[in-house]
């Protein structure tokens, strides 16, 4: 019997791999993986990840943070001006990350950076300086596919994290338990594997980690509690790093992280037996993230056809994937960042310490309508295109396709401004080795479907439509929300 890793990828296999591990690929990206074995494809994917962003950082990133004494002397007008600048820079930071997602040669790197942003949650609501939040993003990208243990230690001392979970105010005699609780519940062990007493004692270990006037990490030994602490059955004069090592030594940590990676890349329902085996791999390789990802991407569960097209696309998957897959020309990335906010995923501003819930929570009546309007705007940007030609028989009333068809009536919305996104159907169809005009034959129709959807269309589509109308129907199909 052929080993699973030796199976050769066809076009559909390559698209699935790149869609699940990055953003929906265009036909040129897919073609580079066709003919490789699964193992070769996964190894190429992991070998081409990055530790630094390709997009130049905003000019203000290196601007020093005003010291406290200067901020205390600000007038009311100066405070208002600083707030306006802060909000503008956060918008620019979001646009910067969107641009990186769009242009990165390693979509997996950005997927993992976003994954860890939603694991080690920090946000704009409690991190006053965009420079600090952006610095954390660079940290997460650097460590995204390295050692989880190293990343845990790094993020625990990260200024944005110290601000977000109040670690900078944690001192001897007045311990703040926020970080101690969340590092157990959300970062390592998971719920049910610690007690309130463990949290109280562990908080004492992190005392002394603080920030200076420029919001940089500083160790203040006079604020550290040197007394003995008993945490998870272990007693000692633990400091913060020793406390984190204690958490890493617990088997629950590898189980928790691996199960979360399973939900990210395979399905919403982790298989306990397979997760345990992958977690053993993670532990035995000193928490090397690439190693466990390789195990996930080569597993039978990952490639099982019944699991294909079952994960709901996040707003980032949906927007970034659409722009990359259809080679959309666009102006500023800021409108795309604003669209992500409309769809429920405002970068650098997760809803709370637990982050975005994901899965089916991404879809509701409001966000679905926003997704439909985004696709409509892309189609309309082509000018004489499928959004202006309703030649396909009307879909069944009440279906998502029917909702899209109603929105696509020419009078519904104006065309995008000339400086906005622009879709070139002829270019895309050429890449897909198909044509937008004329009824495609069976082979061309299959290529178009496979280039757009992760699975078969959920709604019936007339066999007599031309390529452009077929594309419209596929983008309107509920299956386009899945990967």
């Amino acid at each position: 019997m052929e080993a699973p890793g030796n199976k050769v990828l066809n076009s559909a296999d390559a698209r699935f791999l790149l869609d699940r591990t990055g953003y929906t690929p265009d036909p040129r990206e897919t073609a580079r993986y066709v003919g490789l074995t699964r193992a070769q494809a996964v190894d190429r994917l992991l070998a081409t990840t990055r530790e630094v962003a390709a997009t130049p950082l905003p000019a203000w990133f290196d601007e020093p943070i005003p010291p406290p004494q200067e901020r205390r002397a600000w007038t009311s007008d100066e405070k208002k001006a600083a707030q306006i600048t802060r909000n503008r820079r956060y918008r620019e930071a979001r646009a910067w990350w969107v641009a990186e997602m769009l242009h990165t040669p390693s979509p997996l790197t950005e997927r993992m950076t976003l994954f860890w942003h939603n694991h080690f949650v920090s946000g704009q609501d409690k991190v006053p300086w965009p420079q600090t939040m952006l610095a954390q993003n660079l940290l997460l990208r650097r460590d995204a596919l390295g050692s989880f243990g190293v990343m845990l230690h790094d993020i625990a001392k990260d200024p944005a994290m110290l601000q977000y979970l109040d670690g900078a105010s944690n001192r001897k005699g007045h311990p703040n338990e926020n970080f101690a609780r969340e590092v157990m519940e959300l970062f390592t062990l998971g719920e049910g594997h610690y007690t309130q007493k463990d949290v109280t004692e562990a908080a004492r270990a992190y005392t002394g980690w603080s920030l200076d006037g420029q919001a940089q990490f500083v160790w203040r030994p006079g604020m550290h509690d040197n007394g003995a602490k008993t945490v998870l059955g272990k007693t000692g004069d633990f400091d913060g790093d020793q406390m984190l090592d204690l958490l890493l030594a617990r088997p629950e940590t590898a189980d928790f992280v691996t199960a979360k990676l399973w939900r990210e890349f395979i399905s919403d329902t982790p298989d306990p037996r397979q997760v345990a085996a992958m977690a053993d791999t993670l532990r035995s390789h000193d928490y090397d993230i690439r190693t466990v990802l390789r195990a996930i991407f080569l597993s039978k569960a990952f490639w099982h056809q019944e699991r294909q097209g079952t994960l709901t696309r996040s707003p980032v998957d949906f927007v970034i994937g659409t722009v990359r897959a259809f080679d959309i020309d666009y102006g500023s990335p800021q409108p795309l960042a604003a669209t992500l906010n409309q769809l429920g995923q405002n970068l650098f501003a997760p809803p709370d310490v637990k982050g975005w819930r994901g899965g089916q929570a991404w879809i509701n009546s409001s966000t679905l309508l926003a997704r439909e309007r985004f696709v409509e705007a892309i189609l309309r940007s082509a000018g004489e295109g499928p959004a202006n030609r309703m030649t396909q028989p009307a879909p069944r009333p009440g279906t998502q396709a029917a909702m899209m068809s109603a929105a696509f009536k020419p009078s519904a919305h104006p065309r995008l401004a000339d400086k906005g996104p622009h879709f070139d159907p002829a270019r895309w169809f050429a890449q897909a080795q198909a044509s937008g005009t004329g009824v495609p034959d069976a082979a061309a129709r299959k290529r178009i479907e496979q280039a757009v959807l992760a699975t078969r269309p959920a709604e019936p589509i007339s066999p007599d439509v031309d390529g452009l109308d077929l594309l419209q129907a596929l983008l309107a199909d509920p299956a386009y929300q899945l990967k």
Side-chain angles (χ1 to χ4, degrees):
M1 180 180 294
E2 181 183 40
N6 292 334
K7 186 172 181 179
V8 175
L9 272 60
N10 60 26
S11 180
D13 296 331
R15 183 196 184 281
F16 170 74
L17 174 66
L18 297 177
D19 196 17
R20 276 286 174 99
T21 62
Y23 310 115
T24 310
D26 67 27
R28 293 169 301 184
E29 293 176 283
T30 301
R32 291 196 286 268
Y33 281 78
V34 173
L36 299 180
T37 65
R38 289 179 181 176
Q40 289 171 334
V42 169
D43 287 342
R44 173 183 289 184
L45 198 65
L46 294 171
T48 54
T49 57
R50 301 171 58 86
E51 292 186 355
V52 295
T55 305
L57 288 161
W60 46 260
F61 174 70
D62 291 321
E63 184 178 303
I65 294 172
Q69 59 270 27
E70 178 181 331
R71 300 198 300 269
R72 286 194 291 267
W74 281 351
T75 65
S76 176
D77 287 343
E78 286 173 328
K79 291 178 181 178
K80 289 178 182 178
Q83 183 63 37
I84 291 172
T85 298
R86 173 184 185 269
N87 293 339
R88 173 177 54 79
R89 287 180 172 181
Y90 260 114
R91 290 193 298 270
E92 292 171 354
R94 282 187 270 274
W96 172 85
W97 196 2
V98 166
E100 179 64 14
M101 292 175 183
L102 289 169
H103 296 292
T104 179
S106 173
L108 175 59
T109 298
E110 296 312 304
R111 278 289 301 278
M112 290 305 298
T113 304
L114 181 58
F115 173 85
W116 295 122
H117 175 46
N118 200 42
H119 181 83
F120 298 112
V121 171
S122 301
Q124 177 179 349
D125 57 327
K126 292 185 66 176
V127 181
W129 303 103
Q131 299 98 309
T132 308
M133 197 74 245
L134 208 50
Q136 185 188 84
N137 181 269
L138 302 185
L139 182 160
L140 294 175
R141 184 176 292 99
R142 184 191 70 210
D143 292 347
L145 287 103
S147 164
F148 176 80
V150 169
M151 180 162 48
L152 179 65
H153 280 271
D154 287 346
I155 201 70
K157 298 176 184 176
D158 172 69
M161 180 62 69
L162 286 167
Q163 291 175 324
Y164 188 75
L165 290 180
D166 306 305
S169 63
N170 187 18
R171 63 188 187 276
K172 181 179 179 179
H174 299 278
N176 186 298
E177 298 179 359
N178 286 355
F179 177 78
R181 177 177 296 101
E182 306 309 349
V183 75
M184 291 184 185
E185 177 181 340
L186 302 176
F187 302 169
T188 58
L189 305 177
E191 294 183 19
H193 298 290
Y194 62 91
T195 66
Q196 176 56 39
K197 180 65 174 177
D198 292 325
V199 171
T200 300
E201 291 284 276
R204 297 170 52 215
Y206 302 114
T207 53
W209 287 2
S210 188
L211 297 172
D212 64 13
Q214 279 69 49
Q216 296 297 313
F217 173 80
V218 63
W219 165 245
R220 302 188 189 280
M223 295 172 59
H224 177 63
D225 186 335
N226 290 301
K229 302 101 179 170
T230 300
V231 184
L232 300 170
K234 303 287 185 179
T235 300
D237 178 14
F238 302 124
D239 62 20
D241 286 309
Q242 291 169 327
M243 187 66 245
L244 295 176
D245 286 337
L246 190 155
L247 296 176
L248 289 167
R250 300 285 298 194
E252 296 91 344
T253 295
D255 293 341
F256 180 74
V257 173
T258 303
K260 200 164 184 177
L261 288 168
W262 178 292
R263 286 189 290 271
E264 176 73 10
F265 292 109
I266 297 181
S267 75
D268 294 332
T269 54
D271 179 281
R273 181 181 60 81
Q274 295 185 67
V275 166
M278 293 174 181
D280 285 341
T281 298
L282 182 61
R283 276 191 296 269
S284 65
H285 287 79
D286 197 25
Y287 280 96
D288 181 66
I289 298 164
R290 274 189 181 84
T291 299
V292 73
L293 286 181
R294 189 176 192 275
I296 288 173
F297 297 159
L298 289 177
S299 68
K300 290 182 179 179
F302 179 81
W303 291 95
H304 202 293
Q305 288 189 351
E306 290 184 0
R307 289 199 172 97
Q308 297 185 15
T310 56
L311 293 180
T312 303
R313 293 190 189 281
S314 71
V316 165
D317 287 334
F318 187 80
V319 172
I320 304 301
T322 297
V323 174
R324 287 181 65 115
F326 293 99
D327 200 14
I328 305 298
D329 295 325
Y330 67 95
S332 167
Q334 282 204 6
L336 296 176
T339 297
L340 294 178
N341 186 22
Q342 293 171 1
L343 299 184
Q345 194 168 24
N346 197 22
L347 299 175
F348 300 123
D352 53 43
V353 71
K354 293 186 177 181
W356 296 289
R357 305 307 189 261
Q360 294 183 0
W362 288 126
I363 303 295
N364 56 48
S365 59
S366 175
T367 59
L368 180 59
L369 181 59
R371 290 182 182 224
E372 293 163 354
R373 287 176 173 168
F374 174 74
V375 172
E376 175 205 352
I378 293 297
L379 290 171
R380 284 187 175 279
S381 73
E384 176 59 27
N388 298 313
R389 300 194 292 110
M390 298 302 296
T391 59
Q392 183 182 338
R396 295 196 310 270
T399 63
Q400 183 178 340
M403 295 168 64
M404 290 284 278
S405 295
F408 282 149
K409 290 178 180 178
S411 61
H413 297 280
R415 184 181 170 186
L416 291 178
D418 290 339
K419 294 183 179 180
H422 180 71
F423 171 45
D424 185 344
R427 183 172 62 189
W428 183 82
F429 276 104
Q431 293 171 7
Q433 299 179 327
S435 173
T437 60
V439 178
D441 60 24
R445 186 184 179 99
K446 184 175 181 180
R447 285 196 299 273
I448 295 170
E449 287 186 2
Q450 289 182 344
V452 178
L453 301 184
T455 185
R456 295 281 298 170
E459 301 285 353
I461 302 174
S462 169
D464 300 324
V465 297
D466 67 16
L468 283 167
D469 285 325
L470 174 61
L471 175 60
Q472 174 191 329
L474 294 173
L475 292 173
D477 195 272
Y480 190 62
Q481 309 297 332
L482 306 174
K483 61 181 179 178

